[in-house]
Amino acid sequence: MLRRAIIVLAGALALLLGGHSLLPDLNRFTPIVESLLPWLGLGVPVLLIGALFSRSWQAVAAVMLPALVWAVMFGPDLLRTPPGGTSDLSVATLNVGVVNSSSGRAVRAVAKGRDLFAAQELTPGGPAAKELDQIFPHKVQVSTIGLWSRYPIVEQRRVDIGLAWTRALRAVVKTPKGKLTVYVMHLASARPGATARRDETLSHARRLIDRDPSEHLLLLGDLNTATTDRQRSGLVPPLTDAQQEAGGGFGFTWPSSFPITRPDHILYRGLTATSAGVEEATGSDHRAAVATLRLN
């Protein structure tokens, strides 16, 4: 019985990993499962222990199937090394936490040495905004989101992503290598059984990107969409993910105490990522996504 159970479970795990994109929506629970997809690999050692107890080589062989599928899917993320090379910009994005009284301290360490810093869940006039005002000479802030820049911001406007209040902006930054269009967004939340609003804001974001003729474009923010979530395919492509191109590991950013998924992203076109990673931000329930990029 144990041998049969191990073989069946191993086959099911392999199918779930390799065929997750074929799963039905299941009342919008599927995107949540996909957000945790890399963690399904923990089932492999559990099944392997069971297979060893069963003393069946067939069970051990069956467990190798999901192990192989997981390795093909996620092995490159763990083995990737940053391409390096010259960079023109150092950027970061952080959800500072709306009830975080330590948000000033959270942004201080992350913002040091950056050229661009995007923040979400800002409290107007709160400690995070005040701290960033002291670090950067240029900024644009709309409601609970903002962009701080070392370089002049020559254009700015709020943009609609289908929410009742503004949680997205578009700015044009004049860098030494040319103009760069920057979007900062905080998309609607995604919870088990409740991802419809998030999906709508993703569609709004895609339409904005498609209509924007900018040669160099950067999207920073809390998109509430994991790297492995099928809905993110609406943005990647046409945009490229800095963590997937130049980061080592999965780059999980939430929750900060023990990150299990990555809702915070640095996406772009017309640029090349030279490095990417994650940094702790004291007091926030998110970690910061960071990257260095080169304008093409």
Side-chain angles (χ1 to χ4, degrees):
M1 288 292 293
L2 179 59
R3 177 181 65 84
R4 292 177 180 175
I6 294 296
I7 292 174
V8 170
L9 289 173
L13 181 57
L15 286 173
L16 179 58
L17 284 166
H20 66 91
S21 61
L22 301 177
L23 289 173
D25 199 12
L26 299 178
N27 196 30
R28 304 193 182 277
F29 276 87
T30 304
I32 305 302
V33 173
E34 290 181 321
S35 298
L36 302 174
L37 209 57
W39 294 96
L40 295 182
L42 293 176
V44 171
V46 174
L47 290 173
L48 182 59
I49 292 172
L52 293 174
F53 270 106
S54 74
R55 298 181 180 181
S56 166
W57 67 265
Q58 294 102 326
V60 173
V63 174
M64 293 301 102
L65 180 59
L68 178 62
V69 174
W70 191 95
V72 170
M73 292 176 65
F74 302 114
D77 293 325
L78 302 179
L79 300 175
R80 185 187 303 111
T81 56
T86 58
S87 60
D88 302 317
L89 292 168
S90 177
V91 306
T93 180
L94 173 66
N95 183 321
V96 301
V98 69
V99 294
N100 179 13
S101 60
S102 303
S103 60
R105 187 164 45 133
V107 302
R108 188 183 306 126
V110 179
K112 185 178 180 180
R114 307 290 175 199
D115 299 303
L116 297 173
F117 189 99
Q120 305 87 49
E121 288 199 7
L122 289 165
T123 301
K130 290 180 179 178
E131 185 69 31
L132 291 168
D133 286 346
Q134 296 179 25
I135 299 173
F136 295 94
H138 309 282
K139 77 166 183 179
V140 51
Q141 186 175 351
V142 176
S143 184
T144 57
I145 61 168
L147 174 69
W148 279 260
S149 173
R150 189 175 307 280
Y151 305 118
I153 298 175
V154 295
E155 296 179 30
Q156 57 181 276
R157 63 178 174 87
R158 60 183 64 202
V159 295
D160 177 23
I161 54 171
L163 293 173
W165 72 100
T166 302
R167 292 207 324 196
L169 64 84
R170 178 187 186 273
V172 177
V173 178
K174 188 177 180 182
T175 78
K177 292 297 182 69
K179 290 184 177 180
L180 171 67
T181 297
V182 183
Y183 285 89
V184 179
M185 296 185 182
H186 186 187
L187 302 188
S189 298
R191 297 180 176 86
T195 62
R197 178 63 66 86
R198 191 282 313 271
D199 296 347
E200 291 173 7
T201 56
L202 269 171
S203 297
H204 277 274
R206 174 60 189 268
R207 287 193 290 271
L208 287 166
I209 298 303
D210 285 344
R211 294 169 183 168
D212 197 310
S214 302
E215 179 182 2
H216 304 116
L217 186 147
L218 185 62
L219 169 56
L220 306 170
D222 180 355
L223 306 185
N224 278 308
T225 310
T227 305
T228 47
D229 187 333
R230 68 179 64 181
Q231 298 298 332
R232 202 188 70 130
S233 61
L235 287 175
V236 182
L239 302 181
T240 304
D241 187 310
Q243 179 66 25
Q244 289 184 303
E245 294 298 311
F250 297 115
F252 295 146
T253 60
W254 182 88
S256 59
S257 57
F258 188 85
I260 59 173
T261 189
R262 182 181 172 88
D264 307 282
H265 296 281
I266 297 173
L267 310 179
Y268 58 86
R269 74 169 183 236
L271 299 97
T272 298
T274 56
S275 69
V278 173
E279 293 185 5
E280 291 189 25
T282 305
S284 174
D285 62 340
H286 287 242
R287 296 188 181 187
V290 303
T292 57
L293 304 117
R294 180 173 61 250
L295 273 72
N296 294 339

